[in-house]
Amino acid sequence: MKIKIKKDLLLEGLNKVSRAISTKNLIPILSGIKFDLSLEGLTLTASDNDITIQTFIPIENDNMYIEKEGSIIIQGKYILDIVRKLPDEYINIEVIDELKILIYAENSEFNLNGINKKEYPNISLENSKTFVKINNKVFKTLINQTAFATSNDESRPILTGINIKITGDILECSATDSYRLSKKQVKIDNVTNENYNIIIPGKNITEFIKILNDNNNDLEIHIFNNKVLFKQENLLFQSRLVSGNYPNVNNLIPNDSFLKVTANLSDLYDVIDRASILTSDKEKNIVTLETNKNVLIVKSSSAEIGRVEEKMIISKDNDEEIKISFSAKYMMDALKSFEGDMVEMLFVGEVKPIIVKDVEDPNLIQLVLPIRTY
């Protein structure tokens, strides 16, 4: 194998696939990146058995010069550091004696020990006959608006995942850690004859979103019994699925409320943010919200620190009043997911979930559980 390739192009590809390399992996070879060089271009693959990322860099114009095809596994940490720190526009990579790798530029030369490609596990990245197509940007927004509500508690693995249901041309995405809930529905480009209900590990889908392009192209979702494959242009991302049944979140969303408060999103976020400054427990950072006619009051107090009170003008749909406490962090996370200017907060009771909606996007629902303060 022998190639001369533009540094920026190679670094971009390595940055994408290196997200699949785990430092804790028990299989040493999985700390490496597989290079497959053909006359069409360079394919980079990395996996930790949980996720697999593959990207293809096609030969175009003068982006690379291929002298000899071949395959090799190179230690991910070292190749990434070398490529990142070399100052040259082009980098040469040459395999000598099957397992010796020479990486050189104008004034630098590195000799690395490679790993035989035969030792690398056989990773299947096949397509399914039926797949779902969705706009790239729509999917990225969808995950960003919901994935933050997944749980970090590994004792309940189901809740560490994000639930994706596909029925007809509707894709529904839900996440909950049992203290908050996020749900969004979008229309997809192709109607499926099959219904899907899968759970993808939250940390995996978040890694995928970080490397997904921001363009308006289509993203293909290929779903299997125990894995899901995302395909977008020259990028493939495969993740295992979490086995089990996700709770029916629609049963958790109240159908009615006794009070609806409409407020400016930015102002509401800032008020809660400031009120949380003096909370003593940074994990729960409890604030209390109450209404008084058309004024919303948010306050918090701590015996050791002091107290704060914030006010803002709101509109209500009736003369009812509410006093309720909740985690400022959870409410701020929910508010960050909205893109409009105005939000609605629907109150069902002092010990019932608070429903938060974007006035302009009724397909996105956030739920935050109140916290008893007495």
Side-chain angles (χ1 to χ4, degrees):
M1 175 183 143
K2 190 175 181 183
I3 183 176
K4 181 181 181 182
I5 185 169
K6 275 195 170 174
K7 170 197 163 167
D8 292 347
L9 207 60
L10 179 58
L11 186 59
E12 184 187 349
L14 290 171
N15 279 330
K16 284 179 180 177
V17 299
S18 64
R19 290 186 176 274
I21 296 174
S22 170
T23 51
K24 301 171 186 171
N25 212 298
L26 299 174
I27 308 169
I29 196 165
L30 291 182
S31 62
I33 294 173
K34 189 181 182 194
F35 283 63
D36 285 304
L37 184 62
S38 69
L39 295 176
E40 286 77 45
L42 177 65
T43 302
L44 302 171
T45 309
S47 178
D48 65 358
N49 275 339
D50 198 38
I51 60 172
T52 300
I53 305 174
Q54 186 176 92
T55 186
F56 176 66
I57 307 168
I59 185 165
E60 287 173 354
N61 304 325
D62 58 350
N63 67 347
M64 69 177 83
Y65 302 93
I66 297 165
E67 284 193 42
K68 189 181 179 185
E69 298 171 277
S71 298
I72 193 75
I73 318 294
I74 306 178
Q75 287 290 337
K77 179 185 182 302
Y78 299 115
I79 184 67
L80 201 57
D81 278 352
I82 291 167
V83 172
R84 190 183 286 133
K85 292 176 181 180
L86 280 173
D88 307 67
E89 185 184 1
Y90 284 91
I91 292 172
N92 297 275
I93 301 173
E94 186 178 349
V95 178
I96 304 158
D97 297 334
E98 291 193 355
L99 290 179
K100 295 290 180 189
I101 304 156
L102 183 63
I103 302 164
Y104 57 96
E106 191 174 344
N107 297 310
S108 309
E109 183 178 303
F110 293 83
N111 286 276
L112 286 180
N113 295 322
I115 307 167
N116 196 312
K117 63 174 183 178
K118 291 175 186 173
E119 293 179 38
Y120 204 75
N122 184 22
I123 295 163
S124 172
L125 292 166
E126 82 256 25
N127 298 346
S128 63
K129 290 175 185 172
T130 57
F131 57 87
V132 175
K133 267 203 295 194
I134 186 170
N135 176 280
N136 232 18
K137 273 189 175 175
V138 170
F139 187 76
K140 199 164 186 172
T141 302
L142 172 78
I143 299 302
N144 284 330
Q145 288 176 323
T146 51
F148 66 87
T150 54
S151 172
N152 295 319
D153 184 1
E154 294 292 342
S155 67
R156 296 184 71 187
I158 291 282
L159 299 186
T160 63
I162 194 161
N163 182 216
I164 291 180
K165 289 182 187 173
I166 302 165
T167 311
D169 65 344
I170 299 293
L171 186 150
E172 182 182 290
C173 194
S174 309
T176 181
D177 60 4
S178 76
Y179 299 104
R180 55 180 167 176
L181 163 66
S182 182
K183 190 186 89 161
K184 173 86 183 265
Q185 282 188 347
V186 294
K187 288 193 79 146
I188 53 176
D189 301 333
N190 60 324
V191 180
T192 62
N193 295 323
E194 292 184 52
N195 294 341
Y196 297 101
N197 187 349
I198 59 171
I199 307 166
I200 306 171
K203 61 179 181 11
N204 293 5
I205 196 85
T206 304
E207 284 299 327
F208 175 54
I209 291 304
K210 288 174 185 171
I211 60 173
L212 189 61
N213 290 337
D214 277 327
N215 58 34
N216 264 317
N217 294 354
D218 281 337
L219 170 70
E220 293 179 10
I221 308 174
H222 298 257
I223 298 167
F224 302 89
N225 286 334
N226 59 351
K227 63 182 181 180
V228 60
L229 174 71
F230 296 98
K231 188 177 180 182
Q232 194 259 328
E233 294 171 347
N234 293 320
L235 177 68
L236 295 175
F237 184 100
Q238 185 166 277
S239 167
R240 70 172 173 89
L241 295 178
V242 180
S243 58
N245 297 314
Y246 203 78
N248 185 352
V249 297
N250 293 320
N251 293 340
L252 306 172
I253 301 170
N255 293 320
D256 49 11
S257 61
F258 75 86
L259 174 65
K260 180 169 78 175
V261 167
T262 305
N264 178 278
L265 171 61
S266 177
D267 292 346
L268 179 62
Y269 182 91
D270 291 344
V271 160
I272 295 171
D273 190 18
R274 289 194 296 269
S276 70
I277 292 172
L278 300 191
T279 54
S280 54
D281 186 342
K282 283 299 170 195
E283 279 303 302
K284 286 182 180 169
N285 53 15
I286 300 166
V287 297
T288 300
L289 172 153
E290 59 183 276
T291 56
N292 183 0
K293 296 180 180 173
N294 69 332
V295 176
L296 183 78
I297 304 157
V298 181
K299 50 191 174 184
S300 71
S301 62
S302 163
E304 309 90 57
I305 307 166
R307 64 189 299 275
V308 58
E309 185 174 296
E310 286 275 343
K311 294 179 181 177
M312 68 176 285
I313 300 297
I314 49 150
S315 60
K316 301 190 318 186
D317 67 340
N318 59 53
D319 294 331
E320 295 282 351
E321 305 291 3
I322 183 76
K323 182 177 181 181
I324 195 165
S325 299
F326 52 83
S327 159
K329 179 189 182 302
Y330 283 5
M331 184 60 77
M332 287 160 63
D333 283 346
L335 293 174
K336 272 191 278 192
S337 73
F338 298 121
E339 296 181 327
D341 295 326
M342 304 295 288
V343 289
E344 294 173 346
M345 301 174 80
L346 293 95
F347 299 98
V348 187
E350 289 183 7
V351 291
K352 300 279 187 182
I354 306 163
I355 306 164
V356 193
K357 292 182 178 179
D358 188 328
V359 172
E360 295 166 27
D361 184 6
N363 292 318
L364 175 60
I365 297 173
Q366 302 287 355
L367 238 68
V368 176
L369 249 60
I371 297 169
R372 286 180 186 266
T373 54
Y374 52 87

